[in-house]
Amino acid sequence: MALLYSLCCVSFSALVIVALYVSPVVSTSRRVLGDYGKLENGFRVTLKHVDSSKNLTKWERIQRGIKRGNHRLQRLNAMVLAASGDSAEVQAPIVAGNGEFLMDLSIGTPPNSYSAILDTGSDLIWTQCKPCTQCFDQSTPIFDPQKSSTFTKLSCSSDLCEALPQSTCSDGSCEYLYSYGDYSSTQGVMATETFKFDSVSVPNIGFGCGEDNEGDGFSQGAGLVGLGRGPLSLVSQLKEPKFSYCLTAMDETQKSLLLMGSIASANESLGEMRTTPLIRNPSQPSFYYLSLQGITVGSTRLPIKESTFALEDNGSGGVIIDSGTTITYLEQAAFSVLKKAFILEMKLPVDTLSSTGLDLCFTLPSGSTQVEVPKLVFHFDGADLDLPAENYMIADSSSGVICLAMGGSSGMSIFGNVQQQNMLVVHDLEKETVSFVQTQCQNI
């Protein structure tokens, strides 16, 4: 089975990153009830890609996204080594860190605005704070806790302090160190503050007030908002354990969205929902693990052992879904089979000369406006995800290539954000499920 991939209307029909810049909007003015109270309704925020403000070509943005994805994959592998005790070099617990999308919010009273990296692969919420012993440059003023009437340091005995992977106690206050596995880290004091998402104010959110922040990848924003499964994350602290997002492709003019709380549910009018259970990994409790049972290319289910994607007893392996990784990475044995299937099905010459950063590219036929690409289906437990062609193929007519937006990995596999384009992806921590609805984001 094959799909037609059009080259006549767009040269990058399945671009790896979303470069949309839109200001945050909120659909409700409701507030949060009480200390750590439950969110009454929820809020929605539009997202911009980390490279949206840069003067880059589309292919340059693709290559930057792939490079970040490779770094993120290396962090994840370092985490597995640390958790299994196989790495003697690890000095502190490692988390995933960084991401591909930014959200705007405010902290403090009066509110101080900044952009934060959105990360489904970690938990801690943090921003740079005065006095800074070491801080990277950011476009907005560094948060000054002395100028906020709602800033309160957390005690060493607080639940959030105890949930940190590494903390110390100084004068009764909780101090943290969060390491991202590539010499990137944030260090400072844990506190609570009022966070504002446009007109929605949320009091008493625990966050890291970072006074020593270093490493590559944070300078796109002024901090990070973790959306992982652990107690430190925003979704856990809101006590409304549901969020969803819809990410658009770069060549679209519509907005990408994040929805938090009860409004994150999918409307039946959007289309058919496909739901798969979340799997828990005790050694990596923040990640959203899924059960991938197989892959179909064209009309053929690939001869990949289901155990290839299994979560091992020591916490290695498995498949996570991640909005902060650009392309999908499959365990190398599975990717090799997938690659051979695409070479067989595409019936185009394999390109070995272009420096795209992608593992498999084909030479486009001269003068063609359409090419046939094989159908691609991911078989998750209870959810067969039939992907549109633009969610796994990237064409560059100027370079004359069309490439598979996937790569190989050693151990852990990642279902990346290109494959999630124009889907409402609903994370439900209470039901422990992830649901997919193929839709256009403007319909939400």
Side-chain angles (χ1 to χ4, degrees), residues 8-86:
C8 63
C9 301
V10 290
S11 60
F12 285 80
S13 181
L15 291 172
V16 174
I17 51 180
V18 176
L20 188 64
Y21 182 88
V22 279
S23 299
V25 294
V26 176
S27 63
T28 174
S29 61
R30 293 194 178 189
R31 298 293 191 262
V32 171
L33 296 177
D35 290 350
Y36 292 97
K38 191 173 182 179
L39 202 64
E40 281 189 8
N41 187 354
F43 55 84
R44 54 192 283 147
V45 180
T46 55
L47 306 174
K48 58 185 176 183
H49 192 269
V50 294
D51 285 333
S52 62
S53 61
K54 297 178 176 67
N55 185 23
L56 302 170
T57 66
K58 292 178 178 180
W59 198 254
E60 286 172 338
R61 291 185 175 123
I62 289 171
Q63 291 175 321
R64 286 170 62 89
I66 293 169
K67 185 176 180 179
R68 284 190 297 267
N70 288 334
H71 287 167
R72 190 170 174 92
L73 185 62
Q74 291 171 12
R75 289 193 193 101
L76 295 172
N77 286 331
M79 292 175 67
V80 172
L81 287 174
S84 62
D86 291 338

Side-chain angles (χ1 to χ4, degrees), residues 300-442:
T300 303
R301 179 105 171 210
L302 300 182
I304 301 172
K305 294 180 180 179
E306 191 171 327
S307 59
T308 304
F309 302 117
L311 187 61
E312 303 295 335
D313 292 339
N314 66 355
S316 63
V319 180
I320 66 169
I321 179 171
D322 184 32
S323 64
T325 302
T326 305
I327 64 173
T328 287
Y329 294 92
L330 296 177
E331 198 280 328
Q332 190 60 53
F335 181 70
S336 296
V337 175
L338 180 80
K339 182 178 176 179
K340 290 178 182 178
F342 266 87
I343 292 173
L344 181 66
E345 292 274 351
M346 285 292 290
K347 298 180 177 63
L348 291 175
V350 175
D351 179 270
T352 58
L353 300 177
S354 299
S355 301
T356 64
L358 290 164
D359 192 88
L360 179 61
C361 294
F362 301 91
T363 302
L364 288 168
S366 178
S368 296
T369 59
Q370 288 185 332
V371 294
E372 280 191 349
V373 300
K375 187 175 182 179
L376 178 63
V377 182
F378 279 73
H379 301 285
F380 295 105
D381 182 9
D384 290 342
L385 209 56
D386 190 344
L387 297 178
E390 60 267 22
N391 283 32
Y392 56 94
M393 299 302 295
I394 302 169
D396 179 14
S397 58
S398 61
S399 300
V401 296
I402 184 168
C403 304
L404 178 65
M406 298 174 69
S409 68
S410 176
M412 175 182 287
S413 299
I414 306 175
F415 191 65
N417 64 52
V418 170
Q419 282 64 44
Q420 301 174 55
Q421 288 175 165
N422 280 312
M423 291 186 189
L424 183 65
V425 183
V426 184
H427 293 62
D428 191 324
L429 276 67
E430 185 174 22
K431 294 181 179 179
E432 297 196 335
T433 60
V434 170
S435 300
F436 304 91
V437 181
Q438 292 190 11
T439 186
Q440 296 299 308
C441 297
Q442 67 266 27

Side-chain angles (χ1 to χ4, degrees), residues 252-281:
E252 296 180 6
T253 58
Q254 301 298 326
K255 58 191 176 183
S256 296
L257 291 170
L258 170 72
L259 298 93
M260 299 293 302
S262 57
I263 66 169
S265 300
N267 190 315
E268 291 182 0
S269 63
L270 293 177
E272 183 179 0
M273 179 186 294
R274 301 185 184 278
T275 300
T276 186
L278 285 168
I279 300 172
R280 288 196 174 274
N281 182 357

Side-chain angles (χ1 to χ4, degrees), residues 224-238:
L224 190 145
V225 174
L227 285 179
R229 300 174 76 178
L232 294 163
S233 75
L234 179 62
V235 64
S236 296
Q237 292 194 54
L238 291 178

Side-chain angles (χ1 to χ4, degrees), residues 71-394:
H71 287 167
R72 190 170 174 92
L73 185 62
Q74 291 171 12
R75 289 193 193 101
L76 295 172
N77 286 331
M79 292 175 67
V80 172
L81 287 174
S84 62
D86 291 338
S87 176
E89 299 179 1
V90 176
Q91 299 296 318
I94 296 173
V95 293
N98 296 7
E100 291 291 287
F101 300 93
L102 297 171
M103 61 184 293
D104 288 345
L105 48 83
S106 299
I107 294 180
T109 307
N112 187 43
S113 299
Y114 76 99
S115 290
I117 298 170
L118 193 71
D119 185 17
T120 54
S122 65
D123 295 332
L124 184 67
I125 305 165
W126 65 270
T127 189
Q128 299 197 116
C129 286
K130 293 183 177 180
C132 261
T133 57
Q134 180 164 331
C135 283
F136 51 80
D137 291 336
Q138 63 181 59
S139 59
T140 53
I142 293 174
F143 180 66
D144 188 348
Q146 293 188 355
K147 293 183 178 180
S148 174
S149 62
T150 46
F151 179 86
T152 305
K153 292 183 178 180
L154 277 173
S155 71
C156 304
S157 60
S158 64
D159 290 342
L160 291 182
C161 186
E162 293 180 354
L164 286 162
Q166 182 163 312
S167 64
T168 57
C169 195
S170 176
D171 296 327
S173 297
C174 178
E175 296 185 349
Y176 73 93
L177 169 63
Y178 223 60
S179 172
Y180 291 96
D182 61 349
Y183 306 106
S184 298
S185 64
T186 175
Q187 189 169 358
V189 63
M190 286 295 293
T192 61
E193 256 295 6
T194 296
F195 278 62
K196 191 175 183 181
F197 306 91
D198 196 62
S199 61
V200 177
S201 292
V202 185
N204 299 306
I205 291 293
F207 78 111
C209 205
E211 299 171 0
D212 185 349
N213 315 295
E214 51 189 304
D216 182 44
F218 294 134
S219 57
Q220 299 100 325
L224 190 145
V225 174
L227 285 179
R229 300 174 76 178
L232 294 163
S233 75
L234 179 62
V235 64
S236 296
Q237 292 194 54
L238 291 178
K239 298 195 181 298
E240 183 71 49
K242 185 180 293 185
F243 71 93
S244 60
Y245 51 77
C246 190
L247 310 175
T248 59
M250 182 183 293
D251 55 344
E252 296 180 6
T253 58
Q254 301 298 326
K255 58 191 176 183
S256 296
L257 291 170
L258 170 72
L259 298 93
M260 299 293 302
S262 57
I263 66 169
S265 300
N267 190 315
E268 291 182 0
S269 63
L270 293 177
E272 183 179 0
M273 179 186 294
R274 301 185 184 278
T275 300
T276 186
L278 285 168
I279 300 172
R280 288 196 174 274
N281 182 357
S283 69
Q284 305 293 344
S286 296
F287 292 153
Y288 296 94
Y289 281 87
L290 306 179
S291 175
L292 179 59
Q293 299 178 337
I295 299 173
T296 291
V297 174
S299 58
T300 303
R301 179 105 171 210
L302 300 182
I304 301 172
K305 294 180 180 179
E306 191 171 327
S307 59
T308 304
F309 302 117
L311 187 61
E312 303 295 335
D313 292 339
N314 66 355
S316 63
V319 180
I320 66 169
I321 179 171
D322 184 32
S323 64
T325 302
T326 305
I327 64 173
T328 287
Y329 294 92
L330 296 177
E331 198 280 328
Q332 190 60 53
F335 181 70
S336 296
V337 175
L338 180 80
K339 182 178 176 179
K340 290 178 182 178
F342 266 87
I343 292 173
L344 181 66
E345 292 274 351
M346 285 292 290
K347 298 180 177 63
L348 291 175
V350 175
D351 179 270
T352 58
L353 300 177
S354 299
S355 301
T356 64
L358 290 164
D359 192 88
L360 179 61
C361 294
F362 301 91
T363 302
L364 288 168
S366 178
S368 296
T369 59
Q370 288 185 332
V371 294
E372 280 191 349
V373 300
K375 187 175 182 179
L376 178 63
V377 182
F378 279 73
H379 301 285
F380 295 105
D381 182 9
D384 290 342
L385 209 56
D386 190 344
L387 297 178
E390 60 267 22
N391 283 32
Y392 56 94
M393 299 302 295
I394 302 169

